[in-house]
Amino acid sequence: MQATPTSKLLDWYDAHRRALPWRALPGAVANPYHVWLSEIMLQQTTVATVIGYFEKFIDIWPTVHDLAAAEDDAVMTAWAGLGYYARARNLLKCARLIVDQHAGHFPDTEDALRALPGVGPYTAAAIAAIAFNQPAAPVDGNIERVLSRLAADTTPLPKLKARIKAYNASLVPAERPGDFAQAMMDLGSSLCTPKRPACGDCPWQADCAAHASGVAETLPRKAPKREKPERRGTVYWLENKAGDVWMARRPEKGLLGGMYMFPSQGWDPANDAPLDTLAPGTWTPLSGEVVHVFTHFRLTLTVEAHTWPHDDPPPIEGRWVAPHDFANVALPSVMVKVAKHVLS
Ligand code: SF4
């Protein structure tokens, strides 16, 4: 039988598949809890970063039942550093729903998976294909890149997405759809990289229209980017006489929901802390700035410091935390940067 792009890719995968801690061994059945957990972590985070977090979570919470029974704070703390904290909140919500409403079993269809908290179209397709061998065709940025090159499709993103989705669906084999999805992911991350794709080692070298015409590196085309808006704010570093620092917990909903932060003002009006009114004229501006880039804006923070002279805590909600305990608090990356800036 003549080799097709699909069969060539599967042969290449059998010889070169990446060993990843959430991946089943060849011929073995995948663990849906592992697949789901890894796919949620991999949303907006690289494989290299996710490996350590995945192993930590599986170590602490080996089953979905264990995770469902976890304390919210323990999960948020274990997640700290992965970013996009709504994912951690949805992770817990989803684990509890799987235990309460599905007797601890993940549903096996794309549609039912999409109804779960934190599971969008890509994640649902990836779990359906990898965990349940359903003929689903997940499409992410890597797969858009690989397939836009295979077809030399110069349609710019985001218009390209619908075309790639249909193209991908046409390639998915009736047997081994899970391996096909993982093979596409591996090809995109190891050979068909954004810069300098390794076409000489690629199983699709003879089929790839972009390689044949020498335009691979220019694909996929993108619509011109808009600049991110700028925001500025002030962080209040309030210490007590023992050197502990005041932290407030943000509301569950909204940006960085449920995370601990040093009180701040000016950049997120819903969470402004009126700390500057507590001791007017006594805050000392520290030199330098902290810059953090969120998905939708770029934030520049200055820091003002003050030592709280009273034994009673300040009249705003929060708690004192010693700097050596910062690592045990669910502190978002932007506030880890602030702490480093102040303490360095
Ligand atoms: Fe990508 Fe090159 Fe393979 Fe084409 S031949 S799919 S450009 S690595």
Side-chain angles (χ1 to χ4, degrees):
M1 202 168 64
Q2 209 193 343
T4 62
T6 298
S7 67
K8 288 181 195 174
L9 183 66
L10 287 170
D11 288 348
W12 172 83
Y13 181 68
D14 288 340
H16 300 284
R17 70 202 297 283
R18 287 179 293 179
L20 297 170
W22 49 85
R23 216 171 238 189
L25 293 171
V29 178
N31 178 330
Y33 172 57
H34 291 188
V35 175
W36 163 75
L37 181 60
S38 65
E39 287 299 336
I40 300 295
M41 288 182 166
L42 286 163
Q43 293 167 354
Q44 292 119 349
T45 309
T46 63
V47 167
T49 302
V50 164
I51 287 175
Y53 280 90
F54 175 83
E55 287 174 336
K56 177 168 66 175
F57 268 65
I58 292 298
D59 201 37
I60 307 174
W61 301 292
T63 69
V64 72
H65 293 273
D66 299 314
L67 184 60
E71 296 286 338
D72 290 29
D73 270 358
V75 173
M76 295 304 278
T77 301
W79 189 275
L82 266 180
Y84 301 96
Y85 294 91
R87 287 187 293 168
R89 291 194 298 279
N90 277 329
L91 189 80
L92 257 181
K93 221 190 270 177
C94 184
R96 289 170 183 160
L97 190 147
I98 292 294
V99 168
D100 293 345
Q101 296 181 19
H102 297 268
H105 300 290
F106 282 84
D108 61 3
T109 65
E110 215 175 325
D111 282 350
L113 286 161
R114 270 190 76 166
L116 298 173
V119 176
Y122 171 81
T123 306
I127 299 171
I130 299 168
F132 300 111
N133 226 21
Q134 298 281 335
V139 177
D140 67 354
N142 278 325
I143 293 169
E144 277 162 10
R145 182 173 64 253
V146 175
L147 292 184
S148 68
R149 290 172 177 179
L150 182 63
D153 192 330
T154 56
T155 310
L157 285 163
K159 221 172 150 194
L160 174 74
K161 285 178 184 289
R163 296 166 63 89
I164 294 297
K165 205 168 167 19
Y167 187 27
N168 192 19
S170 76
L171 295 174
V172 175
E175 286 180 8
R176 302 184 68 192
D179 283 349
F180 181 77
Q182 292 175 99
M184 291 278 278
M185 295 170 188
D186 284 11
L187 186 71
S189 70
S190 63
L191 299 182
C192 197
T193 47
K195 297 250 157 26
R196 301 216 206 141
C199 302
D201 297 325
C202 181
W204 283 347
Q205 191 184 359
D207 307 284
C208 181
H211 172 63
S213 53
V215 297
E217 256 196 71
T218 70
L219 297 176
R221 300 260 159 91
K222 293 188 180 90
K225 256 195 186 170
R226 278 191 305 181
E227 287 286 309
K228 287 193 185 200
E230 297 274 345
R231 290 194 200 173
R232 297 188 71 86
T234 307
V235 174
Y236 296 103
W237 185 271
L238 182 64
E239 281 189 18
N240 63 14
K241 287 179 258 179
D244 303 334
V245 187
W246 192 256
M247 280 193 195
R249 192 172 180 189
R250 292 173 66 96
E252 287 300 324
K253 285 210 156 92
L255 184 69
L256 307 176
M259 308 292 294
Y260 278 97
M261 304 250 307
F262 308 113
S264 66
Q265 220 179 49
W267 63 279
D268 182 22
N271 286 289
D272 271 358
L275 261 179
D276 57 339
T277 60
L278 283 182
T282 57
W283 292 91
T284 308
L286 304 187
S287 61
E289 293 179 334
V290 176
V291 175
H292 189 76
V293 181
F294 288 96
T295 324
H296 300 298
F297 62 96
R298 187 172 187 277
L299 176 64
T300 304
L301 293 169
T302 52
V303 185
E304 295 189 6
H306 175 60
T307 302
W308 187 247
H310 313 291
D311 291 329
D312 291 340
I316 54 165
E317 209 182 317
R319 65 176 170 116
W320 295 113
V321 180
H324 61 77
D325 275 336
F326 285 178
N328 299 322
V329 173
L331 205 58
S333 303
V334 59
M335 290 297 141
V336 171
K337 281 186 190 173
V338 170
K340 277 191 188 149
H341 175 72
V342 176
L343 298 171
S344 65

